[in-house]
Amino acid sequence: MAKVRVGRVGEQLKKELSQIIQTELKDPRIGFITVTGVEVTSDLSQARVFLSVLGSDEQKEETLKALARGTGFLRSELGKRIRLRHTPELLFKFDSSIEYGSRIESLLDQINRGNGGQ
């Protein structure tokens, strides 16, 4: 039962964070971000936010630094929008699954082109 609540809180955090980052965070260092997932600890004290950022590695690092500086603002906005006793501490991480998937897709494409030439 507790896992269901943790999952629901994670999905709600993902939805609200996406909206806050897109509409209310005005830092120019923040590039094109997609919040791909949120994992919340069972006691709801911490939330790992997985991000996909479009751009070079330098832009990704700048985006992560800007988000780290804006964590207080993001937590306060989350606290206003989600009714929880304590707003979870936010930890931002890059989600490499999209890059991994595109790499596999390109490798499969190379293999298919190699078989088509025979």
Side-chain angles (χ1 to χ4, degrees):
M1 185 68 179
K3 288 196 175 230
V4 173
R5 181 169 186 246
V6 168
R8 285 191 317 214
V9 169
E11 284 300 314
Q12 188 68 27
L13 285 173
K14 178 182 162 187
K15 177 182 160 192
E16 296 295 338
L17 274 173
S18 295
Q19 191 172 15
I20 293 169
I21 290 171
Q22 286 178 354
T23 60
E24 297 184 28
L25 211 53
K26 302 291 183 198
D27 196 323
R29 294 176 294 175
I30 295 176
F32 187 74
I33 294 179
T34 305
V35 178
T36 57
V38 176
E39 287 181 0
V40 183
T41 57
S42 60
D43 60 353
L44 304 177
S45 64
Q46 289 185 339
R48 252 184 270 155
V49 182
F50 293 97
L51 305 167
S52 173
V53 180
L54 205 61
S56 66
D57 287 341
E58 185 177 309
Q59 289 172 326
K60 290 178 182 177
E61 289 299 321
E62 287 295 318
T63 300
L64 203 58
K65 286 179 187 174
L67 285 174
R69 285 188 57 107
T71 300
F73 172 74
L74 291 172
R75 281 186 73 195
S76 69
E77 286 296 315
L78 281 176
K80 292 175 189 171
R81 294 173 183 218
I82 297 177
R83 191 178 171 103
L84 291 173
R85 183 170 294 182
H86 300 287
T87 306
E89 181 181 336
L90 301 174
L91 304 170
F92 294 101
K93 302 213 177 244
F94 288 121
D95 186 4
S96 60
S97 63
I98 294 175
E99 292 174 13
Y100 183 72
S102 66
R103 171 142 170 75
I104 287 178
E105 188 173 327
S106 70
L107 288 173
L108 288 173
D109 193 40
Q110 285 177 357
I111 291 171
N112 285 338
R113 272 191 259 138
N115 288 340
Q118 294 178 357

